[in-house]
Amino acid sequence: VQEISHTAVERALAWYAATLAHAPGAPFDARRAEELSHALAEGAPCDAGLFDQLLTFGRLMHRLAGKPGVPPCNVGDVIVASSRLPPIGADHRWERDTAVDAATFAKLGFASTSRGIADAQHNNREGWRSHTERCRSFIDAAADSLPGRQLAVILGVGRAFDLPLATLAQCFDHLILIDVDSESLALTEEALLRTSPRALIETRVMDLTGINRTMVATIDRLVDPSKDRATIQKQVENYVRSYRVGPGQLLNEGEHADLLVSSCVASQLAWPQRAYALAHLEKLGPVVGEAERSWSRAWFEFELRVQQDHIRACTDAGQVTVLISDVTNRLTALDESGIERATGQKVFTLGVDSLLERVPQSLRVARHGSWIWTRHGPGPGGEPGSWMEVEAVLLSGIDRRDVVS
Ligand SMILES: C[S@@+](CC[C@H](N)C(=O)[O-])C[C@H]1O[C@@H](n2cnc3c(N)ncnc32)[C@H](O)[C@@H]1O
């Protein structure tokens, strides 16, 4: 998989050096394209500048996709290819550990996040309805297209607001529901057993990222109040930039899902650690201006890498994967006549304009959909509302292209 992305990036850089690099406004010249190619081939250490330039390149290539003569390559490919490059300035060990312990769970605030999601759904059922219907029908259609329906695995199942669990329980011999939150899992299982009493349902409490326990322990250790904020900040930034865990195994040895579903999970995996670290750091002084920019860049790189590993872990574990994610959060406010309108402010939850930019060349997109999810309205105290742009893809490995038609 890495090789496929690496080759895609190499080809794209060679094409760019021979064509676009000379055009006015090109992000870098032909010599730099060659240097980037060498850096990837030789496994040069990946500093912030190198990562950012590769990202810019991935974005550019995605925008050009489909034009005659343009080799396919996107942001997903550059992230996968750059995961082979060693980090700079940090000597941290990242070991996968998917266990969930009470202290880490509490520190990362998972229970209150789950409550927030349940409240948002409860208070805006009408707004969620069409999002729920789109998600569920996309997943149902994927299940219908499969030749085998033994095992379906649902990641980050939560309270299953978006998921057609009852129909999946009917279609598949065995369902595995996974979440970091045991309470949500228990409620979801209980509700499902009421509608599908004969279904074979298994719940697994698991940290899909495999990093939360070690990360919290490392952040606790690095944020040493006897040192100054700037020194600690640099150490934490180097630490998060050194993330190189890889996709990891989501299922037990010998298990393979006919259908794997990850719905509104990818964007959720890498922000709780950032919020936790920032809350700690800010006790030692404000993180503003240049410090804030440097902090955001480091965590952005971490976020992209964690999300990319999630995509790969899903497609490794499932014959086909339904990946649904919020992509752009369009903030809203009430205008003078009390009508909700987009403010123009956007938050890119996957760091790109489209989920398709994150699907590397080792995967095939058999179906794609997009819609708006009116998640919540503006609050009474002027808090912004949220219209989410959501995208769904049905993915399989390129070696499994005949699985879905
Ligand atoms: C936005 S919710 C999606 C809920 C679900 N798809 C639905 O239909 O309602 C994200 C879910 O991912 C879970 N989650 C977040 N981080 C996780 C992690 N590291 N490992 C496992 N589950 C995680 C949360 O507990 C939550 O239930």
Side-chain angles (χ1 to χ4, degrees), residues 295-330:
W295 180 257
S296 292
R297 277 176 83 196
W299 282 93
F300 182 57
E301 177 176 338
F302 166 78
E303 220 168 312
L304 292 180
R305 291 190 188 282
V306 171
Q307 292 167 350
Q308 204 63 48
D309 280 345
H310 177 69
I311 296 173
R312 166 98 185 269
C314 291
T315 51
D316 281 355
Q319 192 69 14
V320 302
T321 294
V322 171
L323 175 67
I324 301 176
S325 183
D326 43 292
V327 180
T328 312
N329 184 3
R330 289 159 61 185

Side-chain angles (χ1 to χ4, degrees), residues 79-101:
I79 299 171
V80 171
S82 80
S83 66
R84 298 211 291 207
L85 308 183
I88 224 161
D91 183 22
H92 294 283
R93 288 173 69 81
W94 290 85
E95 272 165 26
R96 248 178 86 74
D97 167 11
T98 58
V100 177
D101 68 64

Side-chain angles (χ1 to χ4, degrees), residues 89-244:
D91 183 22
H92 294 283
R93 288 173 69 81
W94 290 85
E95 272 165 26
R96 248 178 86 74
D97 167 11
T98 58
V100 177
D101 68 64
T104 306
F105 184 83
K107 285 178 175 179
L108 294 182
F110 286 122
S112 65
T113 304
S114 293
R115 264 197 310 278
I117 293 168
D119 287 349
Q121 193 270 351
H122 182 78
N123 296 331
N124 189 17
R125 283 177 199 276
E126 204 39 55
W128 282 43
R129 195 183 306 278
S130 80
H131 163 67
T132 300
E133 279 166 10
R134 293 295 300 266
C135 276
R136 292 184 177 184
S137 61
F138 195 94
I139 297 164
D140 277 335
D144 284 346
S145 68
L146 293 174
R149 296 196 199 116
Q150 283 176 337
L151 175 62
V153 175
I154 321 294
L155 307 180
V157 66
R159 299 287 299 282
F161 296 125
D162 310 337
L163 304 162
L165 286 192
T167 55
L168 292 178
Q170 263 174 8
C171 289
F172 287 84
D173 301 341
H174 182 187
L175 282 193
I176 297 178
L177 312 180
I178 297 179
D179 205 283
V180 72
D181 185 343
S182 59
E183 206 170 300
S184 290
L185 267 183
L187 289 169
T188 298
E189 182 184 27
E190 200 183 299
L192 181 56
L193 281 172
R194 278 200 295 273
T195 55
S196 318
R198 286 205 297 274
L200 175 54
I201 302 160
E202 200 183 324
T203 58
R204 294 184 187 171
V205 179
M206 173 177 165
D207 168 21
L208 292 168
T209 65
I211 55 174
N212 284 331
R213 288 210 315 175
T214 21
M215 252 195 117
V216 164
T218 308
I219 290 166
D220 286 350
R221 183 168 50 74
L222 290 177
V223 185
D224 171 353
S226 69
K227 294 192 191 139
D228 69 296
R229 187 202 49 76
T231 308
I232 294 172
Q233 178 172 339
K234 192 78 225 143
Q235 285 175 344
V236 175
E237 287 178 9
N238 283 341
Y239 170 57
V240 298
R241 278 193 190 277
S242 76
Y243 169 90
R244 297 288 188 282

Side-chain angles (χ1 to χ4, degrees), residues 15 29 54 137 163 209 242 261 272 322-323 333 358 375 388:
W15 171 84
D29 60 18
L54 285 171
S137 61
L163 304 162
T209 65
S242 76
V261 177
V322 171
L323 175 67
R358 300 295 303 270
R375 203 162 54 133
M388 280 287 192

